[in-house]
Amino acid sequence: MFDATKCSGYGRCAEICPSVFEIDEFGYAKVLGDGTVPAADETKATQAVAECPEKAISLVA
Ligand code: SF4
């Protein structure tokens, strides 16, 4: 899940897991597609969640 109200636009998520996150034209994160994490990128997605300084993203099983 992504809580846009918490995102401060550091861009760590998109750096770490670009298959799931990108930075929009205003410098904030957005989730690509429906946010489904490709199986091969689960480790990267987990790392992106861990490194988000605002705790704006989380994984949902
Ligand atoms: S790492 Fe967190 S605060 Fe930074 S752009 Fe991604 S969601 Fe926003």
Side-chain angles (χ1 to χ4, degrees):
M1 290 180 61
F2 170 58
D3 183 346
T5 65
K6 291 183 178 177
C7 176
S8 294
Y10 299 100
R12 290 291 294 147
C13 54
E15 271 177 39
I16 295 167
C17 192
S19 64
V20 177
F21 303 102
E22 71 176 8
I23 301 303
D24 69 14
E25 63 268 37
F26 303 107
Y28 293 93
K30 79 178 186 187
V31 175
L32 294 169
D34 66 2
T36 300
V37 177
D41 289 337
E42 286 181 4
T43 300
K44 288 180 181 176
T46 300
Q47 183 184 353
V49 168
E51 294 199 21
C52 173
E54 302 296 343
K55 303 299 179 213
I57 50 180
S58 59
L59 294 175
V60 178

